[in-house]
Amino acid sequence: MDRAEGTEGRTALVTGASSGIGAATVRALANAGFRTVAAARRLERCRELAKEVGGEALALDVTDPDSVQELKAALPDVDVVVHSAGGALGLEPIAEADEAKWLEMFETNVIGVERVTKALLPALERGGGGHIVVIGSVAGVEVYPGGAGYTAAKHAVNALTRTLRLELLGKPIRVTEVAPGLVETEFSLVRFEGDEEKATKVYEGLKPLTAEDVGEIVAFAVTRPPHVNIDYLAVKPTAQATARDVHREG
Ligand code: NAP
């Protein structure tokens, strides 16, 4: 997206900015004219990205309350918060559920969004035109075998986001959920613990979304006029109809 009106002097924080959708969102928001803050655990990657776009980088672990308090202290002014930190771990059926993975998925995807939102709400409100964007998922409204830990977490993210919109009614803060289908990022590599063969298979025979496709959508949502709130935007590859139904060539 080219430079948009009303972005100058405004700050956008992106969590999970060291990779995938978060990194692409930082680039799209910087192009649109925002001052960007890229945050994730892998600080070096965030620093490289910040150098590329002329923004800033911060270390952030959304599962660590102290780390989120440090983020709050470092960001007295923030106008846009994009929650991209998250992901899936494993694809085991409930009968073989690994509870450590479930806990981590809930800690990162759900509590992480709650914790960062709670910490930055006062600053978002003070700025007079705040915007919270949550990267949800098709898994927030659909289910599939083996996906229960992740789909339950993303359903919770969907509920949290809709609740937030009710609780912030009357305040100058917009709330948007962007819910993608298949996006080729490090998502599947993380899900399958670095197994490249399994990760590649997820996208085999179809053209998945790119992280940039989603980053552009976030930039579009946050550059609408202040009275326009994109509540929920689902985006999937053309070759995907539901979380389970995909068309593969060959
Ligand atoms: P990705 O490339 O694996 O990126 C995930 C990001 O989350 C990384 O930057 C990672 O950074 C960060 N992260 C993970 N745990 C964190 C923690 N505890 N604290 C701070 N940051 C943390 O995957 P992605 O596809 O871009 O995923 C971004 C979001 O989109 C996730 O919420 C995911 O659930 C959602 N999503 C993805 C897809 C898809 O098909 N790819 C579809 C729908 C929704 P560090 O490891 O450096 O901390």
Side-chain angles (χ1 to χ4, degrees):
M1 168 172 286
D2 291 334
R3 183 166 286 272
E5 258 180 54
T7 57
E8 212 171 293
R10 298 183 79 222
T11 301
L13 164 76
V14 181
T15 74
S18 61
S19 169
I21 294 169
T25 299
V26 168
R27 291 192 179 95
L29 294 181
N31 281 341
F34 285 95
R35 166 196 170 226
T36 57
V37 181
R41 292 170 303 184
R42 286 169 292 178
L43 179 59
E44 204 40 54
R45 282 195 184 198
C46 292
R47 283 200 174 124
E48 275 169 34
L49 178 60
K51 203 167 149 197
E52 176 195 321
V53 302
E56 286 154 56
L58 286 174
L60 172 68
D61 181 349
V62 298
T63 68
D64 175 0
D66 291 340
S67 173
V68 174
Q69 283 311 306
E70 281 166 27
L71 172 82
K72 181 180 177 169
L75 272 183
D77 299 309
V78 63
D79 303 285
V80 173
V81 175
V82 181
H83 296 274
S84 194
L89 295 172
L91 198 58
E92 296 86 12
I94 293 166
E96 292 154 29
D98 178 334
E99 282 160 26
K101 288 181 183 170
W102 279 58
L103 277 171
E104 196 176 329
M105 284 190 276
F106 276 74
E107 278 273 356
T108 310
N109 291 284
V110 188
I111 313 278
V113 172
E114 167 273 309
R115 186 175 281 136
V116 172
T117 300
K118 185 177 166 187
L120 298 181
L121 263 180
L124 284 166
E125 193 174 351
R126 247 189 340 265
H131 201 148
I132 297 164
V133 181
V134 180
I135 306 299
S137 171
V138 62
V141 290
E142 291 186 41
V143 295
Y144 52 90
Y150 182 60
T151 57
K154 286 298 193 192
H155 273 65
V157 168
N158 175 264
L160 183 160
T161 307
R162 288 188 290 130
T163 306
L164 198 55
R165 201 173 296 114
L166 287 173
E167 292 174 356
L168 295 179
L169 192 60
K171 294 191 174 175
I173 305 175
R174 293 183 278 174
V175 181
T176 297
E177 179 177 354
V178 174
L182 289 168
V183 192
E184 192 163 12
T185 61
E186 291 177 17
F187 177 87
S188 295
L189 210 54
V190 172
R191 173 169 236 171
F192 299 120
E193 295 171 291
D195 187 329
E196 289 195 22
E197 207 180 314
K198 272 191 187 169
T200 309
K201 269 204 160 6
V202 175
Y203 312 106
E204 222 166 58
L206 60 85
K207 190 170 168 50
L209 296 174
T210 64
E212 289 68 33
D213 294 327
V214 184
E216 285 292 318
I217 286 168
V218 175
F220 175 80
V222 301
T223 53
R224 293 313 87 207
H227 69 289
V228 179
N229 190 88
I230 296 180
D231 282 18
Y232 179 85
L233 196 155
V235 54
K236 299 204 250 346
T238 307
Q240 180 177 25
T242 73
R244 300 180 64 172
D245 298 278
V246 297
H247 174 74
R248 296 183 198 273
E249 300 285 350

